[in-house]
Amino acid sequence: PERLCNAKWVYYTSLGKGSEALHDPLIAHVAESGAKLVFQPGTHQLRLGIAGIGRVIAASHVTIMNKEECERLVGDGTADMRVLLKRLRSLDCEIAVITDGPNGSYAYDGKEFLALGVFEVPIVERTGCGDAFATAFVAALHYGNDLSEAMRWGTANAASKLGFVGPQTGLLTLDGMKKFLAKFKDIQPKRM
């Protein structure tokens, strides 16, 4: 489709058995088009291990997963966030991001390790918070923001989502994002 051919970002996430047939065409597409790949692997993809998804990670600009997923993929028994980020990024993605629920998020771009706690908000339901984080993180990069601000956007979208039932209600628009971030302007990522 023409829309995909003109896309600046391609977001590849959880798909079931057989989706590995998409890997080669996807990798070729981002290489040919110059689009930036964001990879947030799902359960089936993670079961394929590094042998099955390593090439997709290597083709990605951003790879995002939660701590438990990252521990299973590259942990070798460690829970140390810096080690996990380094190992994930060593698979050749540009930016490695790990979310850790109520403990916040962590990112490494090869230059600096950043950590950001959560924005304290009332919690109704957690469904969809990881996806809310990931999509807003990428939107921030799309709009020209740096890694630090991308972490804030992801955290804001996840925090907003926490106040609602279901995976979509509560997701922020661009104007909503600006207003939400203004409430938490003093909470910034810190170097690890």
Side-chain angles (χ1 to χ4, degrees):
E2 186 175 320
R3 187 171 182 198
L4 179 60
C5 293
N6 295 325
K8 293 181 182 182
W9 294 88
V10 175
Y11 189 86
Y12 181 45
T13 191
S14 184
L15 293 175
K17 189 174 182 176
S19 61
E20 53 275 12
L22 298 174
H23 293 179
D24 287 338
L26 177 63
I27 292 166
H29 172 73
V30 296
E32 292 167 13
S33 70
K36 293 181 180 180
L37 177 62
V38 179
F39 186 35
Q40 185 184 17
T43 302
H44 170 73
Q45 292 146 326
L46 289 165
R47 284 185 188 136
L48 299 173
I50 293 171
I53 63 172
R55 290 182 54 241
V56 178
I57 293 172
S60 71
H61 185 72
V62 181
T63 298
I64 301 174
M65 58 183 65
N66 69 41
K67 184 180 179 197
E68 293 79 21
E69 293 166 342
C70 195
E71 286 172 339
R72 284 193 303 269
L73 187 68
V74 299
D76 295 331
T78 188
D80 182 285
M81 200 58 73
R82 283 178 63 107
V83 172
L84 291 171
L85 286 165
K86 254 186 172 173
R87 287 181 182 169
L88 182 56
R89 190 169 180 286
S90 75
L91 299 175
D92 290 332
C93 60
E94 293 291 319
I95 300 171
V97 180
I98 301 173
T99 59
D100 191 17
N103 297 313
S105 60
Y106 307 85
Y108 178 52
D109 64 359
K111 298 176 194 137
E112 61 184 348
F113 292 92
L114 294 174
L116 179 62
V118 297
F119 297 162
E120 295 295 333
V121 297
I123 299 171
V124 173
E125 185 187 26
R126 295 183 190 277
T127 301
C129 286
D131 293 326
F133 177 94
T135 55
F137 182 95
V138 173
L141 295 177
H142 171 77
Y143 283 108
N145 292 288
D146 64 11
L147 180 60
S148 181
E149 190 65 6
M151 292 179 75
R152 285 179 36 81
W153 281 44
T155 301
N157 207 34
S160 178
K161 166 50 217 95
L162 282 170
F164 301 90
V165 174
Q168 295 181 343
T169 306
L171 298 177
L172 296 169
T173 63
L174 185 56
D175 286 339
M177 178 65 71
K178 292 174 185 174
K179 290 174 186 170
F180 200 95
L181 287 171
K183 295 178 195 175
F184 297 95
K185 64 182 179 233
D186 295 333
I187 302 175
Q188 299 288 330
K190 297 192 178 355
R191 289 183 180 206
M192 299 170 42

